[in-house]
Amino acid sequence: MAHEITLVPGDGIGPTITDATVRVLEAAGFEAEWDRHIAGVTATEQGMDPLPAETLQSIRDRRLALKGPLTTPVGAGFRSINVAMRQEFDLYANLRPARSMMSGGRYDDIDLVIVRENTEGLYAGIEHYIGMEDDPKAVAESVMLITRFASERIVRYAFEYALDHDRDKVTLVHKANILKCTQGLFLEVGRQVAEEYEGQIEFEDKIVDNTAMQLVVDPYQFDVLVTENMFGDILSDQVAGLIGGLGFAPGANIGEDAAIFEPVHGSAPDIAGEGVANPTAQILAACLMLDHLDEAEMAERIRSSIRSVLDRGEVRTPDLGGDATTEEFADAVIAEVESGAVRV
Ligand code: NAI
Ligand code: MG
């Protein structure tokens, strides 16, 4: 039976890398009915809302979306559509695995997962200016919202993920030494949840700045990291750096009622339209979707095909020092997926 999935190709390089992804999924034998919808700048350019009601309704009906990156204007303009979608569907868990896809980088065999709280912290967007005398922007203020409810649910998610995926350790990352109420509550709740898993999963907590340093010095000490919204955003780009860059980093946004799968990277306006973006992160995001749909074997076949193509080194996109186009890379992965299918 075909899966019904909303497809939001996205802005910039989005349409190119999602096209490549859909072709790879089809080659692997994944059956889907894609309901295509626009959002972001692609929508505003057509005079529509950046988050059109039809797009939201499609995701609400299907509870599943594969999404390309969406451009967010910096400083002014509409608020992030990515953040809005996560809030709309209460996609509280942002899962960002970082696994080495090719050898010869700074580190080999990296395999860690960031579980990021996706609905609150500073990204709740509770901020405003305070005017003074003739300066309307004399002061800017932002609220770091941390609730017991959301902290408990994300730390529990991290432990359950660790149990389900044979992981050994959860590291809770925080800044409770300075932000005693907000980060302190996150840590306090985290320690309580951790007690329930004692004897099953190892637990430690670490201050975020130290964690950032330790990730560079010895990333192998980490396994699953759970943290609040902004630290998770920053650390997930950092761990993407450990495995060779944003081109390899997928993300899943998971809630009780819906899930949206997307790459960690953005719409890459500097290379948009050139047809040379690396589609790996988008394809890996689709693999996370396959895991979610209990198609783990198919996901693993696609991942190992990507690794084979990258390791042979003949077909690589420019971000990896090659000269292949997005389509050529996808074709190479498809050839590998199909030959793998014969071997199975
Ligand atoms: P970016 O991730 O789009 O690009 C950063 C650098 O990485 C650029 O040099 C880009 O060319 C390169 N890069 C990114 N993805 C690549 C790929 N697949 N293949 C090859 N090179 C790649 O980050 P930037 O420039 O800060 O943001 C651009 C736009 O994307 C902004 O509007 C931002 O708000 C948005 N964005 C959207 C996200 C989402 O939809 N979830 C996430 C992050 C940023
Ligand atoms: Mg980010």
mmCIF file of all heavy atoms in Angstrom, residues 165-205:
data_model
loop_
_atom_site.group_PDB
_atom_site.id
_atom_site.type_symbol
_atom_site.label_atom_id
_atom_site.label_comp_id
_atom_site.label_asym_id
_atom_site.label_seq_id
_atom_site.Cartn_x
_atom_site.Cartn_y
_atom_site.Cartn_z
ATOM 1 N N HIS A 165 17.322 1.921 20.354
ATOM 2 C CA HIS A 165 18.397 1.859 19.357
ATOM 3 C C HIS A 165 19.702 1.337 19.932
ATOM 4 O O HIS A 165 20.770 1.587 19.368
ATOM 5 C CB HIS A 165 18.603 3.247 18.724
ATOM 6 C CG HIS A 165 17.426 3.691 17.916
ATOM 7 N ND1 HIS A 165 16.305 4.246 18.492
ATOM 8 C CD2 HIS A 165 17.177 3.645 16.582
ATOM 9 C CE1 HIS A 165 15.415 4.519 17.540
ATOM 10 N NE2 HIS A 165 15.918 4.166 16.388
ATOM 11 N N ASP A 166 19.595 0.586 21.036
ATOM 12 C CA ASP A 166 20.790 -0.035 21.632
ATOM 13 C C ASP A 166 21.903 0.964 21.904
ATOM 14 O O ASP A 166 23.073 0.698 21.623
ATOM 15 C CB ASP A 166 21.329 -1.157 20.729
ATOM 16 C CG ASP A 166 20.365 -2.323 20.682
ATOM 17 O OD1 ASP A 166 19.710 -2.572 21.713
ATOM 18 O OD2 ASP A 166 20.249 -2.958 19.617
ATOM 19 N N ARG A 167 21.545 2.093 22.429
ATOM 20 C CA ARG A 167 22.544 3.091 22.786
ATOM 21 C C ARG A 167 22.871 2.939 24.271
ATOM 22 O O ARG A 167 22.052 2.447 25.045
ATOM 23 C CB ARG A 167 21.994 4.496 22.522
ATOM 24 C CG ARG A 167 21.638 4.722 21.062
ATOM 25 C CD ARG A 167 22.828 5.252 20.359
ATOM 26 N NE ARG A 167 22.613 5.401 18.926
ATOM 27 C CZ ARG A 167 23.515 5.955 18.124
ATOM 28 N NH1 ARG A 167 24.647 6.397 18.606
ATOM 29 N NH2 ARG A 167 23.297 6.061 16.832
ATOM 30 N N ASP A 168 24.076 3.385 24.664
ATOM 31 C CA ASP A 168 24.529 3.136 26.038
ATOM 32 C C ASP A 168 24.331 4.314 26.982
ATOM 33 O O ASP A 168 24.176 4.135 28.171
ATOM 34 C CB ASP A 168 26.028 2.795 26.035
ATOM 35 C CG ASP A 168 26.297 1.565 25.191
ATOM 36 O OD1 ASP A 168 25.456 0.642 25.237
ATOM 37 O OD2 ASP A 168 27.311 1.541 24.470
ATOM 38 N N LYS A 169 24.414 5.537 26.415
ATOM 39 C CA LYS A 169 24.530 6.674 27.317
ATOM 40 C C LYS A 169 23.720 7.874 26.823
ATOM 41 O O LYS A 169 23.636 8.124 25.626
ATOM 42 C CB LYS A 169 26.011 7.079 27.410
ATOM 43 C CG LYS A 169 26.278 8.217 28.378
ATOM 44 C CD LYS A 169 27.752 8.350 28.702
ATOM 45 C CE LYS A 169 28.491 9.166 27.669
ATOM 46 N NZ LYS A 169 29.868 9.480 28.104
ATOM 47 N N VAL A 170 23.144 8.600 27.758
ATOM 48 C CA VAL A 170 22.504 9.880 27.449
ATOM 49 C C VAL A 170 23.263 10.987 28.188
ATOM 50 O O VAL A 170 23.484 10.890 29.394
ATOM 51 C CB VAL A 170 21.015 9.885 27.875
ATOM 52 C CG1 VAL A 170 20.424 11.289 27.773
ATOM 53 C CG2 VAL A 170 20.201 8.901 27.030
ATOM 54 N N THR A 171 23.673 12.013 27.446
ATOM 55 C CA THR A 171 24.309 13.180 28.056
ATOM 56 C C THR A 171 23.335 14.353 27.970
ATOM 57 O O THR A 171 22.898 14.717 26.877
ATOM 58 C CB THR A 171 25.604 13.559 27.303
ATOM 59 O OG1 THR A 171 26.470 12.427 27.278
ATOM 60 C CG2 THR A 171 26.307 14.737 27.978
ATOM 61 N N LEU A 172 22.974 14.919 29.106
ATOM 62 C CA LEU A 172 22.093 16.094 29.110
ATOM 63 C C LEU A 172 22.977 17.343 29.097
ATOM 64 O O LEU A 172 23.850 17.504 29.948
ATOM 65 C CB LEU A 172 21.179 16.056 30.341
ATOM 66 C CG LEU A 172 20.153 17.193 30.462
ATOM 67 C CD1 LEU A 172 18.873 16.676 31.113
ATOM 68 C CD2 LEU A 172 20.687 18.388 31.242
ATOM 69 N N VAL A 173 22.764 18.188 28.110
ATOM 70 C CA VAL A 173 23.609 19.372 27.926
ATOM 71 C C VAL A 173 22.832 20.619 28.369
ATOM 72 O O VAL A 173 21.681 20.814 27.960
ATOM 73 C CB VAL A 173 24.038 19.492 26.445
ATOM 74 C CG1 VAL A 173 24.961 20.696 26.267
ATOM 75 C CG2 VAL A 173 24.724 18.209 25.974
ATOM 76 N N HIS A 174 23.461 21.459 29.183
ATOM 77 C CA HIS A 174 22.746 22.570 29.803
ATOM 78 C C HIS A 174 23.679 23.727 30.134
ATOM 79 O O HIS A 174 24.894 23.652 29.890
ATOM 80 C CB HIS A 174 22.083 22.074 31.098
ATOM 81 C CG HIS A 174 23.104 21.614 32.103
ATOM 82 N ND1 HIS A 174 23.699 22.463 33.000
ATOM 83 C CD2 HIS A 174 23.671 20.393 32.308
ATOM 84 C CE1 HIS A 174 24.578 21.805 33.729
ATOM 85 N NE2 HIS A 174 24.591 20.537 33.323
ATOM 86 N N LYS A 175 23.131 24.768 30.723
ATOM 87 C CA LYS A 175 23.929 25.890 31.224
ATOM 88 C C LYS A 175 23.365 26.295 32.577
ATOM 89 O O LYS A 175 23.083 27.472 32.851
ATOM 90 C CB LYS A 175 23.867 27.049 30.200
ATOM 91 C CG LYS A 175 24.836 28.179 30.458
ATOM 92 C CD LYS A 175 26.285 27.850 30.146
ATOM 93 C CE LYS A 175 27.195 28.987 30.564
ATOM 94 N NZ LYS A 175 28.621 28.691 30.349
ATOM 95 N N ALA A 176 23.158 25.280 33.423
ATOM 96 C CA ALA A 176 22.473 25.508 34.699
ATOM 97 C C ALA A 176 23.343 26.251 35.705
ATOM 98 O O ALA A 176 22.837 26.766 36.703
ATOM 99 C CB ALA A 176 21.998 24.181 35.284
ATOM 100 N N ASN A 177 24.656 26.325 35.441
ATOM 101 C CA ASN A 177 25.521 27.080 36.353
ATOM 102 C C ASN A 177 25.215 28.583 36.287
ATOM 103 O O ASN A 177 25.337 29.299 37.264
ATOM 104 C CB ASN A 177 27.002 26.813 36.039
ATOM 105 C CG ASN A 177 27.343 26.993 34.567
ATOM 106 O OD1 ASN A 177 26.486 26.795 33.701
ATOM 107 N ND2 ASN A 177 28.561 27.377 34.273
ATOM 108 N N ILE A 178 24.790 29.071 35.126
ATOM 109 C CA ILE A 178 24.510 30.499 34.955
ATOM 110 C C ILE A 178 23.007 30.770 34.992
ATOM 111 O O ILE A 178 22.539 31.633 35.719
ATOM 112 C CB ILE A 178 25.082 31.004 33.605
ATOM 113 C CG1 ILE A 178 26.584 30.706 33.506
ATOM 114 C CG2 ILE A 178 24.794 32.497 33.422
ATOM 115 C CD1 ILE A 178 27.465 31.412 34.494
ATOM 116 N N LEU A 179 22.250 30.007 34.187
ATOM 117 C CA LEU A 179 20.797 30.219 34.108
ATOM 118 C C LEU A 179 20.123 29.258 35.080
ATOM 119 O O LEU A 179 19.664 28.180 34.709
ATOM 120 C CB LEU A 179 20.327 30.004 32.668
ATOM 121 C CG LEU A 179 21.021 30.936 31.657
ATOM 122 C CD1 LEU A 179 20.709 30.506 30.224
ATOM 123 C CD2 LEU A 179 20.603 32.379 31.873
ATOM 124 N N LYS A 180 20.101 29.669 36.346
ATOM 125 C CA LYS A 180 19.753 28.728 37.410
ATOM 126 C C LYS A 180 18.282 28.308 37.374
ATOM 127 O O LYS A 180 17.953 27.186 37.743
ATOM 128 C CB LYS A 180 20.140 29.302 38.768
ATOM 129 C CG LYS A 180 21.673 29.440 38.880
ATOM 130 C CD LYS A 180 22.130 29.770 40.276
ATOM 131 C CE LYS A 180 23.606 30.147 40.327
ATOM 132 N NZ LYS A 180 24.533 29.043 40.017
ATOM 133 N N CYS A 181 17.387 29.201 36.950
ATOM 134 C CA CYS A 181 15.968 28.821 36.906
ATOM 135 C C CYS A 181 15.659 27.994 35.674
ATOM 136 O O CYS A 181 15.248 26.835 35.779
ATOM 137 C CB CYS A 181 15.079 30.065 36.911
ATOM 138 S SG CYS A 181 15.072 30.922 38.481
ATOM 139 N N THR A 182 15.884 28.592 34.488
ATOM 140 C CA THR A 182 15.474 27.905 33.257
ATOM 141 C C THR A 182 16.280 26.629 33.024
ATOM 142 O O THR A 182 15.735 25.525 32.987
ATOM 143 C CB THR A 182 15.652 28.850 32.050
ATOM 144 O OG1 THR A 182 16.952 29.454 32.108
ATOM 145 C CG2 THR A 182 14.592 29.920 32.040
ATOM 146 N N GLN A 183 17.585 26.776 32.896
ATOM 147 C CA GLN A 183 18.433 25.621 32.639
ATOM 148 C C GLN A 183 18.487 24.705 33.861
ATOM 149 O O GLN A 183 18.617 23.494 33.741
ATOM 150 C CB GLN A 183 19.832 26.083 32.245
ATOM 151 C CG GLN A 183 19.854 26.821 30.913
ATOM 152 C CD GLN A 183 19.562 25.900 29.763
ATOM 153 O OE1 GLN A 183 20.134 24.821 29.659
ATOM 154 N NE2 GLN A 183 18.651 26.302 28.896
ATOM 155 N N GLY A 184 18.352 25.342 35.031
ATOM 156 C CA GLY A 184 18.322 24.560 36.267
ATOM 157 C C GLY A 184 17.125 23.625 36.303
ATOM 158 O O GLY A 184 17.242 22.465 36.708
ATOM 159 N N LEU A 185 15.969 24.121 35.854
ATOM 160 C CA LEU A 185 14.766 23.268 35.831
ATOM 161 C C LEU A 185 14.952 22.117 34.840
ATOM 162 O O LEU A 185 14.611 20.961 35.129
ATOM 163 C CB LEU A 185 13.531 24.114 35.441
ATOM 164 C CG LEU A 185 12.220 23.345 35.294
ATOM 165 C CD1 LEU A 185 11.811 22.661 36.598
ATOM 166 C CD2 LEU A 185 11.090 24.277 34.820
ATOM 167 N N PHE A 186 15.520 22.438 33.672
ATOM 168 C CA PHE A 186 15.753 21.404 32.656
ATOM 169 C C PHE A 186 16.641 20.289 33.232
ATOM 170 O O PHE A 186 16.357 19.099 33.077
ATOM 171 C CB PHE A 186 16.406 22.040 31.421
ATOM 172 C CG PHE A 186 16.529 21.116 30.256
ATOM 173 C CD1 PHE A 186 15.415 20.716 29.539
ATOM 174 C CD2 PHE A 186 17.778 20.642 29.858
ATOM 175 C CE1 PHE A 186 15.530 19.848 28.445
ATOM 176 C CE2 PHE A 186 17.902 19.776 28.773
ATOM 177 C CZ PHE A 186 16.775 19.385 28.075
ATOM 178 N N LEU A 187 17.690 20.692 33.940
ATOM 179 C CA LEU A 187 18.613 19.712 34.527
ATOM 180 C C LEU A 187 17.942 18.914 35.652
ATOM 181 O O LEU A 187 18.072 17.687 35.721
ATOM 182 C CB LEU A 187 19.861 20.437 35.051
ATOM 183 C CG LEU A 187 20.876 19.596 35.819
ATOM 184 C CD1 LEU A 187 21.409 18.447 34.958
ATOM 185 C CD2 LEU A 187 22.037 20.472 36.301
ATOM 186 N N GLU A 188 17.200 19.627 36.492
ATOM 187 C CA GLU A 188 16.531 18.958 37.625
ATOM 188 C C GLU A 188 15.561 17.886 37.122
ATOM 189 O O GLU A 188 15.571 16.744 37.590
ATOM 190 C CB GLU A 188 15.776 20.032 38.433
ATOM 191 C CG GLU A 188 15.018 19.526 39.638
ATOM 192 C CD GLU A 188 14.163 20.646 40.256
ATOM 193 O OE1 GLU A 188 14.694 21.774 40.431
ATOM 194 O OE2 GLU A 188 12.983 20.394 40.539
ATOM 195 N N VAL A 189 14.746 18.270 36.134
ATOM 196 C CA VAL A 189 13.775 17.318 35.583
ATOM 197 C C VAL A 189 14.515 16.163 34.900
ATOM 198 O O VAL A 189 14.145 14.993 35.037
ATOM 199 C CB VAL A 189 12.842 18.033 34.574
ATOM 200 C CG1 VAL A 189 11.962 17.039 33.842
ATOM 201 C CG2 VAL A 189 11.980 19.062 35.292
ATOM 202 N N GLY A 190 15.587 16.511 34.172
ATOM 203 C CA GLY A 190 16.366 15.483 33.481
ATOM 204 C C GLY A 190 16.914 14.449 34.444
ATOM 205 O O GLY A 190 16.852 13.243 34.195
ATOM 206 N N ARG A 191 17.429 14.911 35.578
ATOM 207 C CA ARG A 191 17.980 13.966 36.567
ATOM 208 C C ARG A 191 16.893 13.050 37.113
ATOM 209 O O ARG A 191 17.125 11.864 37.356
ATOM 210 C CB ARG A 191 18.636 14.748 37.717
ATOM 211 C CG ARG A 191 19.991 15.303 37.316
ATOM 212 C CD ARG A 191 20.644 16.050 38.467
ATOM 213 N NE ARG A 191 22.010 16.424 38.149
ATOM 214 C CZ ARG A 191 22.639 17.475 38.662
ATOM 215 N NH1 ARG A 191 22.021 18.260 39.538
ATOM 216 N NH2 ARG A 191 23.879 17.738 38.317
ATOM 217 N N GLN A 192 15.687 13.620 37.314
ATOM 218 C CA GLN A 192 14.581 12.787 37.825
ATOM 219 C C GLN A 192 14.218 11.694 36.822
ATOM 220 O O GLN A 192 14.059 10.535 37.177
ATOM 221 C CB GLN A 192 13.344 13.648 38.104
ATOM 222 C CG GLN A 192 13.475 14.468 39.383
ATOM 223 C CD GLN A 192 12.431 15.586 39.468
ATOM 224 O OE1 GLN A 192 11.609 15.755 38.571
ATOM 225 N NE2 GLN A 192 12.482 16.350 40.543
ATOM 226 N N VAL A 193 14.111 12.091 35.535
ATOM 227 C CA VAL A 193 13.758 11.106 34.508
ATOM 228 C C VAL A 193 14.852 10.040 34.423
ATOM 229 O O VAL A 193 14.573 8.843 34.317
ATOM 230 C CB VAL A 193 13.547 11.788 33.135
ATOM 231 C CG1 VAL A 193 13.356 10.750 32.036
ATOM 232 C CG2 VAL A 193 12.365 12.742 33.188
ATOM 233 N N ALA A 194 16.108 10.478 34.510
ATOM 234 C CA ALA A 194 17.238 9.551 34.377
ATOM 235 C C ALA A 194 17.188 8.439 35.427
ATOM 236 O O ALA A 194 17.573 7.300 35.155
ATOM 237 C CB ALA A 194 18.555 10.314 34.473
ATOM 238 N N GLU A 195 16.683 8.778 36.611
ATOM 239 C CA GLU A 195 16.615 7.770 37.682
ATOM 240 C C GLU A 195 15.790 6.558 37.266
ATOM 241 O O GLU A 195 16.087 5.432 37.639
ATOM 242 C CB GLU A 195 15.991 8.389 38.942
ATOM 243 C CG GLU A 195 17.008 9.133 39.783
ATOM 244 C CD GLU A 195 16.370 9.821 40.983
ATOM 245 O OE1 GLU A 195 15.267 9.381 41.415
ATOM 246 O OE2 GLU A 195 16.964 10.799 41.472
ATOM 247 N N GLU A 196 14.751 6.814 36.454
ATOM 248 C CA GLU A 196 13.889 5.712 36.018
ATOM 249 C C GLU A 196 14.628 4.731 35.110
ATOM 250 O O GLU A 196 14.183 3.607 34.912
ATOM 251 C CB GLU A 196 12.671 6.255 35.250
ATOM 252 C CG GLU A 196 11.774 7.136 36.083
ATOM 253 C CD GLU A 196 10.708 7.805 35.220
ATOM 254 O OE1 GLU A 196 10.321 7.224 34.189
ATOM 255 O OE2 GLU A 196 10.302 8.930 35.578
ATOM 256 N N TYR A 197 15.711 5.176 34.516
ATOM 257 C CA TYR A 197 16.434 4.330 33.562
ATOM 258 C C TYR A 197 17.754 3.820 34.141
ATOM 259 O O TYR A 197 18.568 3.253 33.428
ATOM 260 C CB TYR A 197 16.685 5.107 32.261
ATOM 261 C CG TYR A 197 15.400 5.455 31.550
ATOM 262 C CD1 TYR A 197 14.702 6.619 31.854
ATOM 263 C CD2 TYR A 197 14.869 4.585 30.586
ATOM 264 C CE1 TYR A 197 13.514 6.933 31.216
ATOM 265 C CE2 TYR A 197 13.681 4.885 29.939
ATOM 266 C CZ TYR A 197 13.008 6.065 30.261
ATOM 267 O OH TYR A 197 11.828 6.361 29.628
ATOM 268 N N GLU A 198 17.930 4.060 35.435
ATOM 269 C CA GLU A 198 19.179 3.641 36.072
ATOM 270 C C GLU A 198 19.384 2.141 35.892
ATOM 271 O O GLU A 198 18.446 1.361 36.005
ATOM 272 C CB GLU A 198 19.125 3.988 37.566
ATOM 273 C CG GLU A 198 20.433 4.540 38.082
ATOM 274 C CD GLU A 198 20.345 4.939 39.543
ATOM 275 O OE1 GLU A 198 19.652 5.924 39.836
ATOM 276 O OE2 GLU A 198 20.964 4.230 40.370
ATOM 277 N N GLY A 199 20.618 1.761 35.580
ATOM 278 C CA GLY A 199 20.906 0.345 35.364
ATOM 279 C C GLY A 199 20.679 -0.087 33.926
ATOM 280 O O GLY A 199 21.140 -1.142 33.505
ATOM 281 N N GLN A 200 19.951 0.745 33.157
ATOM 282 C CA GLN A 200 19.702 0.412 31.750
ATOM 283 C C GLN A 200 20.524 1.298 30.822
ATOM 284 O O GLN A 200 21.155 0.822 29.893
ATOM 285 C CB GLN A 200 18.218 0.601 31.410
ATOM 286 C CG GLN A 200 17.292 -0.381 32.089
ATOM 287 C CD GLN A 200 15.862 -0.075 31.715
ATOM 288 O OE1 GLN A 200 15.254 0.840 32.272
ATOM 289 N NE2 GLN A 200 15.324 -0.806 30.767
ATOM 290 N N ILE A 201 20.476 2.596 31.087
ATOM 291 C CA ILE A 201 21.181 3.578 30.251
ATOM 292 C C ILE A 201 22.012 4.475 31.175
ATOM 293 O O ILE A 201 21.489 5.000 32.162
ATOM 294 C CB ILE A 201 20.161 4.470 29.476
ATOM 295 C CG1 ILE A 201 19.191 3.641 28.624
ATOM 296 C CG2 ILE A 201 20.898 5.516 28.633
ATOM 297 C CD1 ILE A 201 19.756 3.068 27.358
ATOM 298 N N GLU A 202 23.261 4.633 30.822
ATOM 299 C CA GLU A 202 24.134 5.515 31.594
ATOM 300 C C GLU A 202 23.697 6.973 31.407
ATOM 301 O O GLU A 202 23.214 7.338 30.331
ATOM 302 C CB GLU A 202 25.561 5.321 31.067
ATOM 303 C CG GLU A 202 26.657 5.820 31.976
ATOM 304 C CD GLU A 202 28.016 5.764 31.271
ATOM 305 O OE1 GLU A 202 28.238 4.818 30.486
ATOM 306 O OE2 GLU A 202 28.809 6.682 31.489
ATOM 307 N N PHE A 203 23.869 7.783 32.427
ATOM 308 C CA PHE A 203 23.459 9.189 32.338
ATOM 309 C C PHE A 203 24.550 10.101 32.870
ATOM 310 O O PHE A 203 25.214 9.780 33.861
ATOM 311 C CB PHE A 203 22.178 9.414 33.153
ATOM 312 C CG PHE A 203 21.739 10.855 33.204
ATOM 313 C CD1 PHE A 203 21.162 11.453 32.100
ATOM 314 C CD2 PHE A 203 21.908 11.617 34.363
ATOM 315 C CE1 PHE A 203 20.753 12.788 32.141
ATOM 316 C CE2 PHE A 203 21.508 12.950 34.409
ATOM 317 C CZ PHE A 203 20.928 13.537 33.292
ATOM 318 N N GLU A 204 24.752 11.211 32.187
ATOM 319 C CA GLU A 204 25.643 12.258 32.712
ATOM 320 C C GLU A 204 25.087 13.603 32.273
ATOM 321 O O GLU A 204 24.279 13.671 31.349
ATOM 322 C CB GLU A 204 27.073 12.082 32.175
ATOM 323 C CG GLU A 204 27.153 12.245 30.667
ATOM 324 C CD GLU A 204 28.569 12.205 30.104
ATOM 325 O OE1 GLU A 204 29.524 11.957 30.841
ATOM 326 O OE2 GLU A 204 28.700 12.431 28.884
ATOM 327 N N ASP A 205 25.510 14.674 32.942
ATOM 328 C CA ASP A 205 25.164 16.004 32.434
ATOM 329 C C ASP A 205 26.437 16.790 32.224
ATOM 330 O O ASP A 205 27.455 16.544 32.876
ATOM 331 C CB ASP A 205 24.188 16.710 33.381
ATOM 332 C CG ASP A 205 24.834 17.130 34.678
ATOM 333 O OD1 ASP A 205 25.467 18.203 34.709
ATOM 334 O OD2 ASP A 205 24.728 16.369 35.672
#
